[in-house]
């Protein structure tokens, strides 16, 4: 809105990646907002990876429940 007009090349690029970007951004927004995954609570790579994995499992289970009804 407050920036100068983008060159046509960048407009086309944004249009091409918009669908993929929306899916990824929505996923991360849900993980941050609903599951409060803004900070990692554990020290150590294995525990931090487990926290993110559990959040991803919960996210996918919520999606599955919403899709199947």
């Amino acid at each position: 809105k407050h920036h100068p007009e983008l060159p046509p090349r960048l407009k086309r690029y944004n249009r091409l990646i918009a669908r993929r970007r929306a899916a990824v951004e929505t996923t991360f927004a849900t993980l941050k907002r609903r599951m409060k995954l803004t900070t990692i609570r554990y020290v150590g790579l294995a525990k931090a990876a487990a926290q993110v994995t559990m959040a991803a499992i919960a996210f996918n289970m919520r999606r599955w429940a919403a899709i199947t009804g």
Side-chain angles (χ1 to χ4, degrees):
K1 179 177 175 182
H2 300 288
H3 298 283
E5 187 76 18
L6 285 176
R9 180 179 58 84
L10 287 178
K11 280 186 177 181
R12 184 172 182 273
Y13 176 72
N14 282 338
R15 201 169 44 247
L16 288 172
I17 66 169
R19 181 177 288 174
R20 174 66 53 94
R21 180 182 284 166
V24 172
E25 296 288 336
T26 303
T27 302
F28 282 109
T30 301
L31 287 172
K32 288 178 79 173
R33 197 176 328 112
R34 281 192 180 159
M35 301 180 184
K36 306 213 185 332
L37 195 66
T38 55
T39 58
I40 301 296
R41 296 183 181 149
Y42 301 103
V43 175
L45 192 57
K47 289 180 184 178
Q51 179 188 1
V52 172
T53 302
M54 293 300 285
I57 290 170
F59 174 79
N60 285 328
M61 288 177 71
R62 281 178 82 111
R63 270 185 43 199
W64 178 72
I67 290 171
T68 59

